[in-house]
Amino acid sequence: MQISEHFTLAELTRSQTAQRKGIGNMPTPEHVRNLELLCKEVLEPLRKLYGKPIRISSGYRSAALNKLVGGSAASHHCSGMAVDIDQGSAAENMRIFNLLKAYGTFTQLIFEFGTLENGPDWVHVSYENDDLKREILRAVKVGNKTQYLKYK
């Protein structure tokens, strides 16, 4: 099912973990509407700016899948309002991050791990229509815990 010009429901719900563990990962109609809005407001404009395909490494997550991967219970992934983008290199991920930071409309943008010099391991972006706070964070590991710091 095509969600927008360049994005399909299959790529926004694909999960190797769900497949491996036999976990269902089909969104409800409400979640699909959220994914459509995310595509319209964030992913399609980003694709136009970037000029080439965007690779979604994680999109919608069912509650069971989210728990299995250690996601926050309040994650926007569970409502179809977030994706993780991984273009295959920290430099390209940095380009995505900078495009979103400069031109994007979003609720939250997270520089996920990696280094400030090279770029993030992946980029998280969420879009909640009623909460477009443009919060920009950086995920870092401190011991075994992930901490989210304000991105400067």
Side-chain angles (χ1 to χ4, degrees):
M1 173 181 169
Q2 201 70 32
I3 295 288
S4 68
E5 182 180 355
H6 297 100
F7 298 93
T8 66
L9 183 60
E11 72 184 302
L12 294 169
T13 60
R14 179 180 50 239
S15 168
Q16 291 179 349
T17 302
Q19 288 176 343
R20 220 175 21 255
K21 299 290 185 176
I23 296 171
N25 197 43
M26 282 311 297
T28 67
E30 178 184 350
H31 297 144
V32 172
R33 285 190 296 277
N34 290 340
L35 289 167
E36 289 170 341
L37 193 56
L38 177 66
C39 286
K40 177 184 174 196
E41 299 296 335
V42 178
L43 297 177
E44 287 295 346
L46 175 61
R47 179 149 188 331
K48 187 174 183 178
L49 286 168
Y50 189 60
K52 51 189 172 182
I54 303 297
R55 293 176 44 198
I56 307 300
S57 60
S58 180
Y60 171 77
R61 292 185 202 143
S62 66
L65 176 59
N66 191 60
K67 184 176 182 180
L68 187 64
V69 299
S72 163
S75 173
H76 279 115
H77 285 280
C78 295
S79 56
M81 295 181 187
V83 295
D84 294 335
I85 299 167
D86 184 357
Q87 292 301 104
S89 78
E92 287 302 302
N93 291 343
M94 190 71 205
R95 186 167 167 224
I96 292 288
F97 182 83
N98 285 332
L99 285 170
L100 285 165
K101 189 170 72 132
Y103 304 107
T105 301
F106 54 84
T107 298
Q108 201 171 57
L109 176 63
I110 305 175
F111 183 111
E112 297 274 4
F113 308 105
T115 65
L116 293 174
E117 298 78 27
N118 297 320
D121 290 344
W122 71 88
V123 176
H124 169 96
V125 63
S126 66
Y127 183 90
E128 185 175 355
N129 199 38
D130 298 331
D131 188 19
L132 299 176
K133 59 189 171 189
R134 287 187 52 89
E135 180 179 45
I136 304 174
L137 301 172
R138 179 167 182 233
V140 296
K141 282 284 186 197
V142 178
N144 282 342
K145 291 198 165 230
T146 300
Q147 289 189 358
Y148 294 92
L149 312 172
K150 277 207 170 288
Y151 182 86
K152 297 178 183 193

